[in-house]
Amino acid sequence: MSIWIIFKLLGSLALLMFGMKSMSEALQKMAGPQLRHVLGAMTTNRFTGMLTGMFVTAAVQSSTATTLMTVSFVNAGLLTLVQAISVIMGAHIGTTVTAWIMSLGFSFNITDFVYPAFFLGIILIYMKKRRIIGDFLFGVSFLFLGLGTLKETGFLLVQDPEANEIISAFFANFNEPNFWNKLLFLLMGTVLTLCVQSSAAIMAITMMLCSTGVLHIDQGIMLVLGENIGTTITSNIVALSANVQARRAAFAHMSINVLGVAWVTAVLPWFYGAVCHVVGFDGTMSSDAPGFAVKASMVLATFHSAFNVSNTLLLIWFVPYIERFVCWAIKPKVQDEEEDFRLHFITSGIMKTPELSVLEAQKEIRSFSERMQRMFSMVRQLLNEKDEQQFSKLYSRIEKYESISDNMEIEIANYLDQVSDAHLSDDTKAKIRAMLREISELESIGDACYNMARTINRKVQGKNEHFNDRQYEHMHQMMELTDNALTQMNILMGGRKESFKVNRSFNIENEINNFRDQLKSQNINDVNNHVYTYGIGTIYMDIINECEKLGDYVINVVEARMRTKQRDA
């Protein structure tokens, strides 16, 4: 067997995978924001959810992308798990378009059209406004060039006497249509897809082997079923470090396909016979017969579509029971996640495209923002706490939250830095810059809260002096204004634009500044008039000043987020 043929086979496979990835990413860049709106608006019940998943996946050519967007919506509370499962079912149908694209590559010499597409693509790439369309054309061209080369290499492999004898002898050992041989090819398809992490690549290899006659169609069918399971295991591995809803959605993804493979295997002779009848394929046809390669690839594509459509139409009625099963199988950990540093939406390796990465980072920043308001509420509680043991416990919690805020800033910033290494549009780059500013200011809010807690602790440790009633009243008024500012910020971070009025945030900031100036002048007079000592007055003003600084940080977050929303509009 020529080593050159093997390298050509591997290279064409790599070209196909790169083309599929590039095409999918370009499609998501073109339609990403609109797809998010579609997913949010068109999933009112399990049937519209299924249709939504089908059309979105067909549009972006990536069931993984659709699944990840769906999981992120579940995490944000925009979709229920039942709706998410129906969208994932629809994604199974939408992803069958990929198999038909593969079949098209085996139907005629598609490489004849590749080079004009490359030429047009490079022109569009240099036209900045059409750059994404150029990326899409390059992705499609690489995909079909890889397919065409794979097909040619497959025929060269068959024509090589030594290679043909070795491969044919291997598969001939498993020609007997018994249960164990079927199970072997099912496992082979699962493992290969898991190793390559691309069902499209294994589908292309299966079509190549079947179209050359080296692999029997029956064996190819079992490989296709194995690919359907293998592609779901990848998402489950990725979701291991994600939150409970992500793990449930990924497990539902796998459960649906495992159930489908189980029932279709039980009726495989009739199901396969019906597919062959529709395509007009005769199982006794020789691989040398005219049109065999085209018919073989069409059988695999038709079987893939028929399996996913039938499985979805059958299991769509059992979605509530699937939800109960995955909730029973995957239970949440018994722990207080608020007291544990753990990113809820960003998980290493889970995102595949910049568009989705930015969406997940925005949700993580929203969670960061809500945590900072909870931290401030602890500071307010600390100010009133009289019990020493409870005070110490609450102070330790605030210290832990300060450490969490530092870690969250670093982790989100590192994630955004990785995203920014990708090919991004100018709008997305501007969004990332605004988000980096947001996390920096949110971490400063955490620092301000911790500074207030330390100041209160310093006063308590002194045990000699105490705030008077009027000082307590003023601090409570200032903290109430600051908490209102944080509430308005979180309304904006939550995306509820209809209930957010930006002038309200600026008005609160002006109130905080004016009240701080008023208290500063009054504090000087009270110290001079010996209402309280200079030392307690200093501690008192330190708390007031930190509230004012915190209000400034809030305004900075609001301004950064408003820029992001203007670009989304």
Side-chain angles (χ1 to χ4, degrees):
M1 187 189 300
S2 172
I3 193 72
W4 172 247
I5 294 178
I6 295 174
F7 279 125
K8 193 173 181 181
L9 191 69
L10 294 173
S12 60
L13 188 61
L15 199 61
L16 182 147
M17 292 169 66
F18 177 75
M20 180 62 71
K21 181 176 182 290
S22 300
M23 181 182 72
S24 177
E25 287 183 357
L27 284 167
Q28 289 173 64
K29 286 176 189 175
M30 284 190 282
Q34 289 76 16
L35 292 178
R36 295 206 303 268
H37 296 315
V38 167
L39 274 176
M42 293 183 63
T43 52
T44 52
N45 58 59
R46 72 184 85 163
F47 300 102
T48 57
M50 180 192 70
L51 292 173
T52 302
M54 182 175 68
F55 288 121
V56 169
T57 305
V60 301
Q61 279 300 293
S62 173
S63 60
T64 302
T66 306
T67 302
L68 292 174
M69 277 193 283
T70 304
V71 168
S72 71
F73 272 48
V74 174
N75 289 337
L78 299 176
L79 288 180
T80 65
L81 188 58
V82 168
Q83 291 171 319
I85 292 171
S86 65
V87 171
I88 290 169
M89 284 183 169
H92 291 161
I93 298 177
T95 196
T96 61
V97 174
T98 306
W100 284 104
I101 293 174
M102 303 287 179
S103 177
L104 187 67
F106 284 87
S107 299
F108 60 95
N109 191 8
I110 197 72
T111 55
D112 292 342
F113 301 93
V114 162
Y115 299 103
F118 273 131
F119 178 70
L120 180 59
I122 197 67
I123 293 173
L124 292 173
I125 285 173
Y126 280 102
M127 296 169 59
K128 289 188 177 180
K129 290 185 178 180
R130 300 287 183 268
R131 192 171 187 174
I132 297 176
I133 299 175
D135 288 340
F136 169 73
L137 282 176
F138 257 71
V140 172
S141 300
F142 278 127
L143 169 64
F144 283 124
L145 183 61
L147 267 176
T149 310
L150 189 68
K151 181 176 72 172
E152 292 173 8
T153 310
F155 284 112
L156 286 175
L157 202 62
V158 172
Q159 290 168 9
D160 186 316
E162 183 185 352
N164 190 15
E165 184 179 348
I166 293 171
I167 297 171
S168 298
F170 172 78
F171 287 119
N173 293 325
F174 311 102
N175 277 340
E176 186 69 25
N178 57 47
F179 171 78
W180 296 110
N181 284 340
K182 289 180 180 179
L183 182 62
L184 174 67
F185 279 91
L186 182 70
L187 291 174
M188 194 184 299
T190 302
V191 172
L192 286 174
T193 306
L194 184 59
C195 293
V196 179
Q197 293 200 11
S198 172
S199 58
I202 305 303
M203 173 64 81
I205 291 176
T206 305
M207 284 186 173
M208 183 267 291
L209 291 172
C210 288
S211 63
T212 54
V214 171
L215 184 69
H216 195 272
I217 294 291
D218 291 349
Q219 296 166 331
I221 290 294
M222 295 311 296
L223 283 177
V224 169
L225 291 176
E227 290 156 19
N228 277 273
I229 297 176
T231 193
T232 66
I233 294 176
T234 304
S235 64
N236 276 268
I237 292 172
V238 170
L240 283 176
S241 58
N243 61 35
V244 66
Q245 290 294 71
R247 295 198 302 274
R248 284 172 176 170
F251 187 60
H253 186 202
M254 184 173 71
S255 301
I256 291 163
N257 276 5
V258 170
L259 283 170
V261 169
W263 73 257
V264 86
T265 303
V267 297
L268 190 60
W270 300 279
F271 198 90
Y272 171 59
V275 168
C276 289
H277 177 73
V278 169
V279 175
F281 177 77
D282 183 0
T284 61
M285 185 185 295
S286 169
S287 60
D288 297 328
F292 176 83
V294 176
K295 289 285 186 183
S297 62
M298 283 188 66
V299 166
L300 293 176
T302 305
F303 181 88
H304 189 231
S305 295
F307 163 69
N308 282 286
V309 170
S310 302
N311 192 43
T312 298
L313 293 178
L314 176 65
L315 296 182
I316 192 72
W317 305 99
F318 300 95
V319 167
Y321 301 101
I322 294 172
E323 182 207 23
R324 290 180 199 170
F325 170 69
V326 297
C327 289
W328 169 81
I330 300 178
K331 295 179 174 61
K333 294 179 182 178
V334 182
Q335 65 177 17
D336 185 359
E337 290 193 342
E338 294 305 329
E339 299 299 314
D340 178 43
F341 167 63
R342 184 169 178 270
L343 297 181
H344 292 267
F345 302 100
I346 292 173
T347 306
S348 177
I350 197 169
M351 301 314 302
K352 302 296 182 186
T353 65
E355 176 61 40
L356 291 174
S357 300
V358 170
L359 174 66
E360 295 306 299
Q362 284 177 338
K363 288 185 172 64
E364 200 64 70
I365 293 171
R366 175 186 172 185
S367 174
F368 191 2
S369 174
E370 290 169 349
R371 273 187 168 179
M372 291 304 95
Q373 186 166 15
R374 281 192 292 275
M375 184 179 181
F376 181 71
S377 69
M378 292 179 203
V379 175
R380 297 181 70 183
Q381 187 180 343
L382 191 73
L383 182 63
N384 298 320
E385 188 58 63
K386 305 301 181 185
D387 184 88
E388 287 188 16
Q389 188 176 358
Q390 290 299 320
F391 183 95
S392 178
K393 186 183 293 185
L394 190 57
Y395 184 71
S396 296
R397 286 186 69 197
I398 293 171
E399 282 186 312
K400 191 168 186 179
Y401 263 68
E402 201 278 331
S403 175
I404 287 173
S405 72
D406 291 342
N407 289 329
M408 288 192 78
E409 181 195 18
I410 292 168
E411 292 295 324
I412 297 172
N414 288 341
Y415 185 74
L416 289 173
D417 186 53
Q418 292 173 9
V419 175
S420 64
D421 289 339
H423 171 59
L424 304 173
S425 66
D426 291 338
D427 279 351
T428 305
K429 287 178 183 175
K431 279 184 193 176
I432 290 177
R433 285 195 298 270
M435 291 161 74
L436 287 169
R437 186 186 175 194
E438 287 172 19
I439 61 173
S440 175
E441 299 297 337
L442 287 169
E443 193 276 333
S444 296
I445 290 175
D447 288 342
C449 291
Y450 184 50
N451 288 339
M452 279 186 267
R454 289 170 60 193
T455 302
I456 296 168
N457 185 53
R458 191 170 77 244
K459 191 271 292 182
V460 170
Q461 296 303 320
K463 295 185 179 180
N464 294 324
E465 297 179 286
H466 301 282
F467 298 129
N468 61 31
D469 291 341
R470 193 168 66 170
Q471 284 176 312
Y472 271 116
E473 182 184 348
H474 291 157
M475 284 187 291
H476 287 316
Q477 288 174 353
M478 176 62 89
M479 286 183 170
E480 183 64 29
L481 284 171
T482 307
D483 193 60
N484 289 342
L486 286 165
T487 299
Q488 287 296 311
M489 178 187 75
N490 278 318
I491 289 173
L492 176 64
M493 300 297 277
R496 300 185 292 276
K497 290 186 285 186
E498 68 281 354
S499 58
F500 180 79
K501 296 179 176 59
V502 69
N503 289 336
R504 175 64 178 150
S505 285
F506 288 106
N507 290 339
I508 295 172
E509 168 64 9
N510 287 333
E511 287 184 60
I512 291 173
N513 290 340
N514 293 335
F515 194 41
R516 187 276 314 266
D517 293 340
Q518 176 188 333
L519 295 179
K520 187 176 181 180
S521 299
Q522 190 174 350
N523 178 65
I524 294 171
N525 291 332
D526 288 342
V527 170
N528 288 335
N529 293 330
H530 304 290
V531 176
Y532 44 77
T533 66
Y534 180 82
I536 200 69
T538 301
I539 294 175
Y540 165 64
M541 283 310 300
D542 283 348
I543 293 172
I544 297 298
N545 286 328
E546 284 296 339
C547 283
E548 191 277 330
K549 286 181 186 176
L550 196 154
D552 290 341
Y553 300 140
V554 167
I555 285 296
N556 292 340
V557 173
V558 168
E559 288 177 343
R561 181 47 66 102
M562 289 305 294
R563 290 196 190 97
T564 303
K565 286 190 175 293
Q566 286 167 2
R567 291 185 176 273
D568 281 339

